[in-house]
Amino acid sequence: MAVSELLILGVDAADFSVLSSDSVSLPTLERLMQEGVSAPLESTTPPITGAAWPAMACGRDPNSIGMFDFRNFSREDCGEYRPSPSAVDPFWSYLSEEGYTAGISGYPIAPLDKPVDGFVLSWPWYLPADEQRLAPAEFFEDTDIEVDDYIRENTEFEVEQVLTDLWDKAEFDERVLNRFDFDVYFTHLDADTIIHIADEDTLDDVYRVYEAIDEIVASILEHCADDCAVMMVSDHGISKVHGKFYMTQFLIDQGLLQRETTAAERVTQTDISQRAIELAKTTLNALGLTRPIQKLLLSDDKIRQQAGLEHGLDFEDIDCENTVVVNSGDWGQLYGTDGDDEVKAVVDYLSRMAAEQGFEVVVDWPETAYEGDQLHPDAPDAIVTIRAQDGILRPKSVVSPGKEDPEDYFETFDTANLNHGEDGVFVLSGPNVKHNTEVEPLHLLDVAPTILNQLVGVVPPDVHGTARTDLYEPGSRPASTPQTGFKDFQQTLIEDRSEHGEMDEVKEKLAELGYFE
């Protein structure tokens, strides 16, 4: 069995800083780069998995599909909700309409209500255990392939578990490709989990994961036809995190975010209680007991909240009526509950504070970060990045009492951690593709139209990305400007969404934003 036309390697968090390192051996990936084209792949703003993969699948930005993170913030009730990917019309549905078979193995946040000639398996870490992960659900019924045996949620953040999960996923792909033929096959390879547990002193763990991925890619290539094209994409890259900024606590102390505190919490927030807590912390640190005590008694956010310690913000505790600015997520997404004036004031004040501490605030405003004449009702009012050295400080959405001076809101690390970066990786090799060439950077919104142009020469009318014809040899068919099409099929996709109930409202919102006639 073989992949005949295009193999897509979705390497989550791939970064050229690792691919080009002398400390890691990646013969297969290096060969792919030498045989084709390579370039940085710009991510969404901010570079979040929950927005990037859905946007990449359809070539439309987060604003148009209403997916800004794994969880969106709603100004209506100051709560968070999990957005549906049903507004995403993925490239594999358009290919299926043109007669291509597709195997989509582990695509993060994949829409499962769209047509596919083949199967779609959505990567499961963000899904409830009882929620559908495979479409069509009966695809593997007459086989001995059990999805749950190979695709598991990674809850143990250790390098050995990351490697085990990678090889289990590779075994799943191996069994699928031994049984079925596909024109196009996508597989997700997780290089992201390791960067959330590594730092500059433990890069060897990152290299081990990449070397495993290189071996896995080599085994998958054995299932590809000789003239099959190979594309590698990532949802984001890697950045250095030099510390954190307590954004939510800053908003609380400025009176901009009001919470419904409990009686026990109010007691622990008195000056006497705070001094007692600090004394207890100092004593436990001196005895080396802080981590064991925290692990034993204080790992639960509710317990930590009652004890007056740092804890995650429970959005159900927000006093929405008296709150004017909220930080949702850990990427500096600021939301004004009644307009953006207060958000702009926060940004100005924060910029001055950061400058005094030697940091720089960079702001992405929605008008320039997103496409379309109108913003989605749940789009953030500002996305704040705090630059530090050659990396960033992460804005934290936690409650952390006891801050008194401006510098208390900034915390730097002795050793830089790793996290998401703005530029991922794009690599393409195969028939008609330029050889051993570095090209201009791509945006991940370019991926879907580039795939559709390469295979069928047609792209949908509403994509925000560009079919990158400069990747191919002059005179070849993919080097020509694609036609605009799929209009009738797109209308069918809209009607299919409407049949799923909630999508009537999505259709109306997208029409208002000008994405459909």
Side-chain angles (χ1 to χ4, degrees):
M1 301 295 177
V3 182
S4 60
E5 298 287 341
L6 177 63
L7 170 67
I8 307 170
L9 306 167
V11 184
D12 209 303
D15 195 282
F16 280 115
S17 67
V18 179
L19 294 178
S20 62
S21 172
D22 294 333
S23 300
V24 63
S25 176
L26 306 172
T28 305
L29 298 180
E30 287 178 5
R31 177 172 59 82
L32 291 176
M33 288 188 284
Q34 291 170 359
E35 292 177 351
V37 298
S38 60
L41 185 64
E42 183 182 349
S43 187
T44 51
T45 303
I48 301 175
T49 298
W53 283 113
M56 190 190 302
C58 62
R60 289 169 37 224
D61 86 331
N63 182 61
S64 70
I65 57 177
M67 300 191 71
F68 300 99
D69 204 336
F70 284 115
R71 301 188 69 80
N72 285 357
F73 176 77
S74 171
R75 293 174 178 82
E76 186 175 336
D77 60 2
C78 291
E80 290 186 314
Y81 66 94
R82 182 160 61 90
S84 168
S86 291
V88 175
D89 295 332
F91 65 83
W92 56 82
S93 289
Y94 291 108
L95 291 176
S96 295
E97 170 70 4
E98 293 294 311
Y100 286 76
T101 56
I104 308 300
S105 173
Y107 198 97
I109 314 114
L112 299 180
D113 59 344
K114 302 301 164 62
V116 61
D117 185 359
F119 78 93
V120 178
L121 176 66
S122 185
W123 194 248
W125 74 77
Y126 71 101
L127 292 173
D130 59 348
E131 192 159 323
Q132 181 183 358
R133 299 179 178 185
L134 176 69
E138 65 278 4
F139 186 82
F140 295 114
E141 270 188 2
D142 297 327
T143 75
D144 59 354
I145 299 172
E146 295 287 343
V147 170
D148 289 341
D149 288 347
Y150 303 99
I151 312 300
R152 297 192 301 273
E153 180 179 2
N154 185 358
T155 56
E156 297 181 32
F157 291 94
E158 298 178 357
V159 63
E160 298 302 333
Q161 186 61 49
V162 172
L163 291 168
T164 297
D165 287 352
L166 268 173
W167 285 109
D168 283 350
K169 175 62 164 50
E171 182 179 348
F172 171 81
D173 287 326
E174 180 81 13
R175 299 191 68 182
V176 170
L177 293 173
N178 278 333
R179 177 130 188 161
F180 299 96
D181 283 326
F182 298 98
D183 296 313
V184 177
Y185 195 80
F186 170 95
T187 184
H188 178 264
L189 299 164
D190 180 18
D192 180 74
T193 300
I194 189 63
I195 70 168
H196 290 283
I197 57 178
D199 58 34
E200 285 189 306
D201 290 342
T202 55
L203 287 176
D204 285 348
D205 290 342
V206 177
Y207 299 148
R208 288 179 63 193
V209 169
Y210 270 75
E211 289 176 344
I213 288 174
D214 191 81
E215 292 182 49
I216 291 168
V217 170
S219 67
I220 295 175
L221 288 174
E222 294 178 1
H223 294 275
C224 295
D226 291 341
D227 59 350
C228 179
V230 181
M231 178 182 289
M232 181 168 71
V233 295
S234 58
D235 55 335
H236 53 73
I238 301 174
S239 69
K240 295 180 181 179
V241 180
H242 291 282
K244 52 190 174 182
F245 175 75
Y246 290 94
M247 181 73 81
T248 289
Q249 188 62 48
F250 171 73
L251 296 175
I252 291 172
D253 291 343
Q254 295 299 313
L256 300 171
L257 195 165
Q258 300 290 334
R259 297 167 55 245
E260 302 284 357
T261 56
T262 64
E265 195 177 0
R266 287 192 293 272
V267 169
T268 59
Q269 288 176 358
T270 64
D271 288 342
I272 294 176
S273 296
Q274 284 297 308
R275 286 197 294 271
I277 290 171
E278 289 303 318
L279 179 60
K281 287 181 182 178
T282 301
T283 303
L284 290 172
N285 278 330
L287 296 174
L289 296 175
T290 301
R291 293 295 293 274
I293 292 295
Q294 286 182 341
K295 191 170 184 180
L296 180 65
L297 298 175
L298 300 175
S299 59
D300 182 81
D301 262 343
K302 286 295 183 184
I303 297 176
R304 294 180 63 83
Q305 178 179 353
Q306 300 300 331
L309 301 175
E310 180 177 310
H311 59 275
L313 173 66
D314 187 342
F315 281 78
E316 293 183 359
D317 291 341
I318 294 178
D319 177 1
C320 197
E321 184 177 346
N322 296 304
T323 289
V324 292
V325 180
V326 175
N327 172 51
S328 178
D330 284 337
W331 285 95
Q333 301 105 305
L334 294 180
Y335 296 79
T337 58
D338 187 22
D340 61 1
D341 288 345
E342 291 290 348
V343 170
K344 291 178 179 178
V346 167
V347 169
D348 288 342
Y349 185 25
L350 178 56
S351 297
R352 293 193 299 271
M353 272 182 61
E356 292 173 358
Q357 305 302 318
F359 306 119
E360 177 189 11
V361 169
V362 178
V363 184
D364 288 289
W365 302 104
E367 294 80 4
T368 55
Y370 301 125
E371 300 285 345
D373 295 330
Q374 297 186 46
L375 291 174
H376 188 280
D378 296 328
D381 290 309
I383 301 162
V384 176
T385 303
I386 302 177
R387 301 285 184 190
Q389 301 177 46
D390 58 343
I392 61 173
L393 299 185
R394 282 286 299 278
K396 299 298 293 183
S397 184
V398 297
V399 179
S400 183
K403 307 289 185 283
E404 296 180 358
D405 300 317
E407 60 266 24
D408 294 340
Y409 296 97
F410 299 87
E411 181 180 322
T412 56
F413 303 147
D414 293 334
T415 302
N417 294 336
L418 304 180
N419 215 295
H420 298 186
E422 297 171 353
D423 290 332
V425 167
F426 179 88
V427 176
L428 176 64
S429 65
N432 299 318
V433 179
K434 292 178 178 177
H435 186 77
N436 196 19
T437 303
E438 293 183 6
V439 295
E440 290 297 314
L442 289 82
H443 193 284
L444 59 76
L445 300 182
D446 299 335
V447 171
T450 297
I451 291 172
L452 292 172
N453 177 46
Q454 176 172 319
L455 296 179
V456 300
V458 182
V459 298
D462 64 342
V463 293
H464 297 132
T466 301
R468 290 291 297 269
T469 58
D470 60 310
L471 310 179
Y472 306 92
E473 294 291 352
S476 64
R477 208 277 309 148
S480 303
T481 302
Q483 299 177 14
T484 300
F486 297 116
K487 290 184 179 179
D488 291 340
F489 180 59
Q490 195 168 67
Q491 185 60 38
T492 300
L493 293 175
I494 297 172
E495 292 169 355
D496 287 347
R497 286 204 290 272
S498 297
E499 290 177 3
H500 285 77
E502 62 179 296
M503 298 318 299
D504 279 333
E505 182 180 350
V506 172
K507 177 183 174 182
E508 291 173 3
K509 284 183 179 180
L510 293 177
E512 290 173 0
L513 292 170
Y515 297 110
F516 299 109
E517 297 178 358

